[in-house]
Amino acid sequence: MATPGEADESIPSGLDEAEEEQEPPEIDWDWTCNVALPHFAFITQYMLSLRHIQLKTNEAIKREFRDAVSTPSGTSLTFVGSVTSGLELPKVVNREFHDISLHTILIVPDDITVYKSIQNLAETTGVHLTAHGTGKQSGFVKLKINKGEKVGCEIEEKDTMYLSVEALNNKYKIQLPEASDKSMMKRLEKASVAIRCPSWPNIAKEWSDRKRPSEWPTKELVDSIVQDGCHLIPGHHPNSKDTNTEWEWDFSVAEQKLAKTLTDYQRQCFLLFKMLYYIGFDYPYFITEDHLKWIFYMVCDRIPQSEWTEQEIAPIMLCLVDEVLHALINGELPHYFIAKRNTIDHIPEDFIFDLMERVSKTRQNALQYLYRFNKIYKFSFWPKTQNLEDIFAPLMKDMEDQHDKIRDSMLNGLNPSGEALAICHIKEDNFAEACNIQADLLKMLQAHFGEANVPYTLVSLLESLAMRLGDLDYTIKFFEYILDTYPEGRTYSAKGNLACFYSNKYHTLPADDPDKGKLLQKTKDLFQEAISDPNASGATFTDYSNFLCGTGDHETAIPYLKRVLEKEKDKMVSSNMYGPEEIATVDGNVQREIQTAGQISVPAVVYSIYLLIMAYKKLNREDEARDLIKDFEEVVDSMETVTVIQSCSLLGYAYKSLEMHLDAFRAFHKAANLAANHKKECLEIATGNRDTCKAILASQGIVVETTGPGNSADSQDENIAAGKAPIEKEDIPEGDGSVEAKEDSPEGDGSDETKEDSPEGDGSVEAKKRHS
């Protein structure tokens, strides 16, 4: 498997350089709910991505209703509310849930109109009504039927005829088919008769003249809304007894116009706010979605749209909850269009305190309440098999550790959580959503570090994700999806990596499988396509050579391996990594490394020399194999990164294959010492290999003793503490007649002296042959 470079990390190392150039800012916290805001922003982006927020048009809604409802004669239907404003929560799957604001459908009689005064009636047709304030609460009126007008829905009060709410509702009631689905019935339950008022009411003049710091809505939009007028719908103040004659001003069409000018981030913020509402304080039913919208629009008046960004959505959402709490504390929540109207003046004091407590708890536990929404409802696009709280466990652990640098948190919490979420979708065959999630992750990385400082693309992120799925079939399917979906992803490295997975699949199929031959040819063709690219790296050639050696074609592999050695011996520019998905494609030595350490990752030149030596051995060209050992030693000695550990192990296997057991012991010993300090997952196999060589040497009369990792000695000396291998020897009893011995040439490395002084820390040992 080809990887971009030597670094043995799942996160590209380019972010390190970015940090060196400019120290990243410390992480902002919201101490009320004790959450790091970048982490919270990350979670909110995944809980409700912008792509799942729909803005439906009136025509689209009408199409849904066309076959289900018949419009009452003499009326027209206007669809308003959350559905057509892009402020409706997506579909949930866990239980019945209807996110519907009041009055989602306005049934507007064609021949009834309300005017401010009788002077407005000139040159108009139809039934004309005038609005008269009740004097009890701003925003509520009675509709007076003027003399000579006939509506058929009037009611007399003190010698004055008013329009009857009950009578008009009955006259224009929508009839539902018996077989209507529940969703349709819920929507139609919220249908309301509405009377047109073509002129803007005086009581809402403050709204049109309001000074707005955000400069939203624009003057042009305000003028357009005022020009269109508004409606009156059945509605009375909760403390009013005039339930059959009282109407309230309705601005839902104006809200719809406003909502269509919101940014996607503003819609997203409001929907997250609604999620908190439905979990935290929708009961008792004094605070409604209308209250949420009025608070939201007032905040939109204050905060410019340019400040509603991906990173700011979480704090603004928390600000909205704060606004609800402040309104309850002050006992006043103004109507957005009618500032004089206090929309919570009817709530009893006991319930105010109860709501304050609920909202306060929601504010303090905002993240946990969003998790609870996931558990109770679960959107249809969320993973079906795992809760988000489990997926975001690395992120929560990162917050507990209180990393104070953005880079540390991105690497320790955000990236693993994003990958875990994407993997859930992949294993539910939702590849498109997995790709979208990784695209979101890339955007967040670029936002935090700057696009120029993020050294990888969406395709490279997806390929990296595919290589860590842990399931060969899904890895192949997802890789194929990437190559089919993203033309820019059809690079030599992607083709080579997919060919590696094909190769592993080939090796796992039974010998009599009819598809085995086809898959072998498919693998060869894809590898050939990859290495034919003039930019193909040494790692891709090494992968192909590994495939050839695995199918017994060592002779064909040798020229490709020599090419890698020639080009990358002096400058290691690519690496090979093999994990569980490719375990069937490698030899037994490398399989054990993968089984013990989880994967093997080494420079391409290291693996190419190893494969060359093994190929020469298979072809009985041992002299050529021995000639390569010096090159192998030089390459390994020049390495500085953690990949030197497994490179030492491959050198040890090469020595061992040539029966150079003392040199193999040295290589494995060095790998063990380095692993003890830098990569403990490699320690077990390194010490095991070293001890195997020690036993072989002992059987030949060569005794070496170690006090390094994996042995029973009390502690390491200073060299081991620094990651260096000590020079170790056996104490020889005086007078035993022993002498400095030479190793027999068939088992040695061709040198004359068994004892070799090596540079400090190279893993060398001293050995003496015991004479009986």
Side-chain angles (χ1 to χ4, degrees):
M1 179 69 61
T3 55
E6 276 190 68
D8 187 23
E9 299 181 30
S10 59
I11 304 297
S13 59
L15 296 182
D16 295 316
E17 288 77 17
E19 184 181 24
E20 290 174 6
E21 293 175 9
Q22 182 178 359
E23 185 73 9
E26 293 186 352
I27 288 180
D28 290 330
W29 281 74
D30 181 274
W31 297 108
T32 302
C33 60
N34 196 30
V35 65
L37 291 176
H39 298 63
F40 204 175
F42 180 91
I43 291 176
T44 56
Q45 293 307 310
Y46 282 135
M47 280 195 164
L48 187 60
S49 174
L50 297 178
R51 60 185 168 276
H52 298 300
I53 300 171
Q54 294 184 339
L55 177 60
K56 293 185 178 180
T57 65
N58 254 341
E59 288 304 316
I61 300 296
K62 286 177 183 177
R63 282 196 296 272
E64 293 180 11
F65 282 80
R66 187 170 295 150
D67 297 332
V69 246
S70 56
T71 305
S73 176
T75 66
S76 59
L77 300 184
T78 300
F79 295 89
V80 293
S82 298
V83 181
T84 57
S85 302
L87 300 178
E88 181 184 39
L89 287 171
K91 181 181 178 181
V92 299
V93 295
N94 270 11
R95 60 170 65 181
E96 186 177 351
F97 175 80
H98 297 285
D99 169 32
I100 305 205
S101 60
L102 296 175
H103 319 306
T104 59
I105 303 174
L106 300 182
I107 308 167
V108 185
D110 298 332
D111 60 347
I112 305 177
T113 311
V114 174
Y115 288 90
K116 292 182 185 178
S117 66
I118 199 164
Q119 283 77 20
N120 299 113
L121 302 184
E123 299 181 4
T124 59
T125 58
V127 178
H128 308 116
L129 311 175
T130 52
H132 293 259
T134 64
K136 299 175 183 177
Q137 170 62 267
S138 297
F140 296 92
V141 298
K142 291 186 177 183
L143 297 181
K144 180 182 176 181
I145 301 174
N146 299 301
K147 289 182 179 181
E149 302 284 2
K150 294 293 181 181
V151 182
C153 299
E154 54 272 351
I155 185 171
E156 184 176 357
E157 288 185 1
K158 297 180 181 180
D159 299 327
T160 302
M161 302 301 291
Y162 294 105
L163 186 64
S164 166
V165 169
E166 182 179 356
L168 197 68
N169 267 332
N170 289 334
K171 181 177 180 178
Y172 295 111
K173 188 175 182 180
I174 293 178
Q175 299 299 319
L176 289 177
E178 294 182 4
S180 295
D181 61 50
K182 289 184 179 180
S183 175
M184 185 73 69
M185 293 175 68
K186 283 286 184 182
R187 291 186 187 281
L188 294 176
E189 281 176 11
K190 303 300 182 181
S192 171
V193 67
I195 310 301
R196 266 198 313 272
C197 181
S199 54
W200 193 253
N202 291 334
I203 198 170
K205 189 174 185 304
E206 181 276 337
W207 177 84
S208 60
D209 296 339
R210 188 179 299 167
K211 302 298 181 184
R212 298 174 171 86
S214 70
E215 299 184 355
W216 178 93
T218 64
K219 185 180 183 304
E220 292 76 16
L221 179 57
V222 171
D223 291 344
S224 172
I225 288 173
V226 169
Q227 185 67 31
D228 289 345
C230 58
H231 291 84
L232 281 154
I233 61 174
H236 60 276
H237 188 272
N239 296 333
S240 173
K241 295 180 181 178
D242 297 328
T243 58
N244 195 29
T245 56
E246 203 163 293
W247 299 72
E248 69 172 302
W249 294 105
D250 178 76
F251 302 90
S252 52
V253 173
E255 286 182 21
Q256 187 179 61
K257 277 195 166 186
L258 291 173
K260 288 181 178 179
T261 66
L262 295 172
T263 68
D264 288 341
Y265 285 123
Q266 286 175 311
R267 288 193 185 88
Q268 181 188 46
C269 186
F270 180 74
L271 293 178
L272 290 163
F273 180 36
K274 281 174 70 172
M275 288 165 63
L276 289 178
Y277 162 73
Y278 279 117
I279 291 297
F281 53 95
D282 66 327
Y283 179 85
Y285 306 112
F286 290 111
I287 300 296
T288 68
E289 185 182 325
D290 284 334
H291 291 98
L292 303 188
K293 284 192 293 184
W294 296 328
I295 285 175
F296 170 67
Y297 285 132
M298 284 187 279
V299 171
C300 289
D301 279 355
R302 299 201 307 263
I303 302 177
Q305 289 189 322
S306 60
E307 295 183 19
W308 297 69
T309 63
E310 187 173 278
Q311 290 75 41
E312 296 301 322
I313 292 307
I316 295 177
M317 176 190 66
L318 296 174
C319 167
L320 293 172
V321 181
D322 287 335
E323 292 289 331
V324 177
L325 186 57
H326 293 160
L328 292 169
I329 292 172
N330 296 326
E332 184 175 2
L333 200 168
H335 190 290
Y336 176 63
F337 290 94
I338 305 174
K340 292 180 180 179
R341 177 183 167 188
N342 181 5
T343 61
I344 60 172
D345 63 352
H346 62 286
I347 304 179
E349 187 174 304
D350 289 348
F351 286 106
I352 286 282
F353 284 116
D354 180 61
L355 279 167
M356 286 169 55
E357 183 178 358
R358 288 174 181 272
V359 175
S360 181
K361 284 184 178 179
T362 303
R363 179 63 174 83
Q364 293 169 22
N365 302 281
L367 184 55
Q368 288 71 26
Y369 277 38
L370 289 177
Y371 283 147
R372 190 181 299 174
F373 186 97
N374 165 248
K375 289 181 179 178
I376 295 175
Y377 297 110
K378 195 179 284 290
F379 288 136
S380 58
F381 52 82
W382 280 344
K384 300 177 181 62
T385 55
Q386 197 170 0
N387 283 324
L388 293 183
E389 194 167 0
D390 298 329
I391 291 171
F392 290 123
L395 181 139
M396 302 309 294
K397 176 65 168 59
D398 180 74
M399 283 203 295
E400 290 172 7
D401 294 341
Q402 295 190 356
H403 286 298
D404 59 356
K405 296 286 172 53
I406 287 178
R407 178 190 178 278
D408 292 341
S409 287
M410 292 299 292
L411 303 189
N412 289 284
L414 304 184
N415 190 67
S417 294
E419 286 194 352
L421 187 58
I423 288 172
C424 282
H425 284 293
I426 289 171
K427 294 189 175 179
E428 292 176 7
D429 294 310
N430 192 351
F431 297 157
E433 185 64 17
C435 293
N436 288 330
I437 287 170
Q438 290 299 90
D440 291 341
L441 175 61
L442 181 60
K443 282 175 59 181
M444 292 199 72
L445 290 170
Q446 291 172 340
H448 283 299
F449 299 110
E451 190 170 346
N453 293 324
V454 178
Y456 42 93
T457 64
L458 173 59
V459 171
S460 64
L461 269 182
L462 295 175
E463 290 177 7
S464 178
L465 177 66
M467 290 186 281
R468 291 196 290 277
L469 289 179
D471 183 296
L472 181 58
D473 290 331
Y474 273 114
T475 297
I476 289 175
K477 287 196 291 185
F478 188 52
F479 237 112
E480 290 174 336
Y481 178 85
I482 295 170
L483 267 62
D484 290 341
T485 307
Y486 301 93
E488 68 274 22
R490 296 192 63 81
T491 62
Y492 67 84
S493 61
K495 295 171 186 175
N497 289 339
L498 179 56
C500 286
F501 295 127
Y502 285 156
S503 174
N504 196 53
K505 184 71 174 177
Y506 164 80
H507 284 287
T508 58
L509 290 177
D512 58 350
D513 191 296
D515 294 328
K516 197 173 179 75
K518 294 177 183 178
L519 188 56
L520 177 63
Q521 189 59 49
K522 187 176 183 179
T523 307
K524 286 181 178 178
D525 292 343
L526 194 55
F527 266 128
Q528 284 290 335
E529 191 176 339
I531 66 172
S532 64
D533 189 311
N535 298 314
S537 68
T540 302
F541 280 92
T542 306
D543 280 335
Y544 183 38
S545 302
N546 181 69
F547 163 72
L548 293 171
C549 291
T551 56
D553 194 359
H554 299 89
E555 199 69 62
T556 303
I558 288 174
Y560 294 121
L561 294 169
K562 286 183 174 180
R563 181 187 187 279
V564 179
L565 176 58
E566 179 184 345
K567 289 185 174 294
E568 298 197 16
K569 179 183 177 184
D570 297 325
K571 185 178 180 181
M572 304 174 198
V573 294
S574 62
S575 300
N576 291 93
M577 181 181 74
Y578 298 95
E581 293 84 359
E582 303 97 354
I583 197 167
T585 69
V586 294
D587 67 17
N589 295 327
V590 182
Q591 285 181 1
R592 286 190 293 275
E593 292 284 328
I594 295 171
Q595 289 165 348
T596 306
Q599 67 177 35
I600 184 169
S601 180
V602 293
V605 66
V606 169
Y607 196 50
S608 66
I609 301 175
Y610 171 77
L611 289 176
L612 259 177
I613 290 173
M614 295 303 176
Y616 284 140
K617 279 284 295 179
K618 286 284 187 181
L619 298 172
N620 296 317
R621 293 157 62 176
E622 190 164 318
D623 289 343
E624 292 175 86
R626 288 180 178 274
D627 290 342
L628 283 172
I629 282 294
K630 185 176 180 181
D631 288 330
F632 208 161
E633 290 174 344
E634 290 176 356
V635 168
V636 173
D637 288 343
S638 69
M639 295 171 62
E640 297 179 356
T641 70
V642 291
T643 55
V644 72
I645 298 169
Q646 290 179 311
S647 298
C648 284
S649 292
L650 290 185
L651 177 60
Y653 292 129
Y655 279 134
K656 192 176 175 184
S657 72
L658 298 173
E659 298 184 353
M660 300 166 68
H661 299 297
L662 185 57
D663 293 290
F665 178 88
R666 289 192 188 99
F668 291 132
H669 185 62
K670 182 176 180 180
N673 282 334
L674 289 170
N677 291 281
H678 300 289
K679 199 171 184 182
K680 295 189 183 299
E681 61 267 29
C682 295
L683 179 58
E684 179 184 348
I685 190 166
T687 54
N689 287 329
R690 181 189 64 188
D691 292 345
T692 299
C693 290
K694 180 179 177 181
I696 293 172
L697 291 169
S699 71
Q700 298 169 356
I702 300 173
V703 179
V704 290
E705 291 187 359
T706 58
T707 58
N711 291 277
S712 59
D714 293 335
S715 63
Q716 301 288 334
D717 61 13
E718 293 181 1
N719 281 336
I720 292 179
K724 300 175 181 178
I727 298 177
E728 297 157 339
K729 59 184 178 181
E730 178 191 14
D731 292 329
I732 309 296
E734 284 186 37
D736 68 348
S738 63
V739 297
E740 202 167 76
K742 296 180 180 178
E743 198 172 7
D744 294 338
S745 57
E747 299 155 15
D749 61 356
S751 62
D752 291 332
E753 293 187 9
T754 303
K755 179 178 179 179
E756 298 180 7
D757 292 328
S758 300
E760 184 176 284
D762 67 350
S764 62
V765 299
E766 283 194 6
K768 293 186 179 181
K769 189 168 184 177
R770 187 184 302 276
H771 290 262
S772 57

